[in-house]
Amino acid sequence: MATAREEDSAAAIQKGGVAVPPATALAYLDPTYWDERFSREEHYEWFKGYSHFRHLILHHINPNSSVLELGCGNSHLSQEMYRDGITDITCTDLSPVAVHNMRNTILSKGIKVMVADMLDLPFGTETFDVVIEKGSMDVLFVDSGDPWNPRPEAVSKVMSMLQGVHRVLKPEGIFISISFSQPHFRRPLFEAPELTWSMEYETFGDGFHYFFYTLKKGRRVSSEKASVERFELPSISLLQDELEGEDYIFRTNIDDLENDDEEAAVPLFNVAFESQLASLQAVRCNNSNNMKGKLQ
């Protein structure tokens, strides 16, 4: 008999090659969900496509850099970087299906692709100049609880990932994390005592702000102090392409958390996932009906 998580994963995959968000965000933690999704979905870009942050990539990565991508999925990130002259790339994903598909897609490009768990990286110490992830770390926060005080289990997974990234980076290496999570939530993790990198960030995007974090190994200044930044985000007034994607599911608005009710201080996954999912499905349904009308 299938478990509830397996049923959620199965329900999340729509026939016809198009994946829709799962009934519950917990499905994102299930490897089966991703295997089934990647078996049907050819391409999806979390947190915008390459053109939106290409200028940031080229500013921080030079053509001679050895690059490790975590959680490549079916993104075109590695292929776009390759076109820009960054050719020493290793892509990893936990899903064998994603890796198989990626190998078939980029076979002629010489990009290395392998199955690997980002919580237990199978690479030697100081192997890469750059490690990059786009949305992969956000998944670890799906069941994290209060974003100001995440559950120990979630923190443990995130720290395993960060410690592994720090280990495989060369001295002066750079970790690039592209995320929806705001700096006041990321800083306590990025600036853990055992990690020696500095933290900077830039933003990109239209209706939403996406964060492009750069952490440079060995660059932390001893006088750096963690601060609580306040970054103004727009209310949910989404552009069409954002409504048609899943990115906004990862949005946590700090204004929604500023109250004395501790139980109210939970991530968007637990507060508004169902209502936002309904909005996304309504938009897709409306688009489908409009298309049918044009064909009739």
Side-chain angles (χ1 to χ4, degrees):
M1 181 178 295
T3 65
R5 177 172 289 186
E6 289 171 342
E7 291 173 353
D8 287 339
S9 296
I13 307 300
Q14 184 184 67
K15 291 183 178 180
V18 179
V20 299
T24 169
L26 292 178
Y28 287 129
L29 297 173
D30 182 11
T32 302
Y33 165 75
W34 294 108
D35 285 342
E36 294 181 357
R37 175 167 179 162
F38 292 139
S39 70
R40 298 175 183 269
E41 180 186 66
E42 293 184 4
H43 173 231
Y44 187 83
E45 291 293 343
W46 294 89
F47 306 162
K48 294 290 189 181
Y50 184 74
S51 63
H52 293 270
F53 53 86
R54 176 176 180 263
H55 61 294
L56 300 175
I57 290 288
L58 297 181
H59 177 69
H60 292 286
I61 306 179
N62 67 61
N64 296 322
S65 296
S66 54
V67 180
L68 171 65
E69 180 186 0
L70 304 178
C72 61
N74 52 18
S75 168
H76 289 172
L77 174 59
S78 62
Q79 299 173 64
E80 296 291 352
M81 289 193 295
Y82 190 95
R83 291 191 186 100
D84 274 331
I86 304 167
T87 58
D88 186 359
I89 302 174
T90 300
C91 297
T92 64
D93 200 281
L94 188 61
S95 168
V97 177
V99 169
H100 173 77
N101 293 342
M102 185 67 76
R103 283 174 176 166
N104 290 339
T105 301
I106 62 176
L107 186 62
S108 62
K109 294 183 172 63
I111 299 173
K112 298 177 285 293
V113 189
M114 60 183 292
V115 175
D117 185 349
M118 66 183 182
L119 305 186
D120 186 20
L121 296 175
F123 305 104
T125 299
E126 301 182 356
T127 301
F128 298 97
D129 296 303
V130 178
V131 177
I132 186 169
E133 68 88 17
K134 182 160 76 85
S136 298
M137 189 163 68
D138 288 65
V139 173
L140 300 179
F141 289 93
V142 164
D143 194 26
S144 63
D146 178 358
W148 290 110
N149 186 28
R151 293 190 178 100
E153 296 83 357
V155 172
S156 178
K157 290 180 180 179
V158 173
M159 291 311 301
S160 292
M161 174 185 176
L162 294 178
Q163 289 164 0
V165 170
H166 191 273
R167 179 183 62 81
V168 303
L169 275 177
K170 296 178 181 178
E172 305 291 315
I174 299 174
F175 174 40
I176 296 174
S177 178
I178 301 173
S179 172
F180 233 165
S181 184
Q182 300 162 39
H184 35 254
F185 299 133
R186 281 290 190 262
R187 186 177 290 278
L189 298 164
F190 285 156
E191 295 191 343
E194 63 269 34
L195 306 174
T196 67
W197 45 40
S198 61
M199 171 186 149
E200 296 179 357
Y201 64 89
E202 298 167 89
T203 62
F204 64 92
D206 301 314
F208 282 165
H209 287 290
Y210 299 84
F211 295 90
F212 189 100
Y213 294 97
T214 54
L215 298 99
K216 298 182 181 180
K217 186 175 180 179
R219 293 291 188 88
R220 180 179 295 180
V221 178
S222 59
S223 61
E224 284 186 6
K225 295 181 179 179
S227 61
V228 178
E229 298 105 327
R230 181 181 182 82
F231 200 95
E232 295 297 333
L233 292 178
S235 59
I236 289 192
S237 177
L238 307 181
L239 301 179
Q240 186 70 20
D241 61 334
E242 289 163 337
L243 274 170
E244 292 176 345
E246 294 172 65
D247 291 356
Y248 71 91
I249 292 173
F250 287 89
R251 178 180 181 272
T252 301
N253 191 344
I254 188 174
D255 293 332
D256 298 334
L257 306 175
E258 290 183 344
N259 56 65
D260 295 327
D261 183 358
E262 185 173 326
E263 293 184 358
V266 293
L268 178 138
F269 293 106
N270 300 330
V271 175
F273 183 85
E274 291 184 1
S275 63
Q276 299 213 39
L277 177 60
S279 298
L280 173 59
Q281 292 173 333
V283 169
R284 285 180 169 169
C285 180
N286 183 58
N287 289 345
S288 177
N289 290 336
N290 289 341
M291 181 61 70
K292 289 179 181 178
K294 291 178 181 179
L295 295 175
Q296 290 177 349

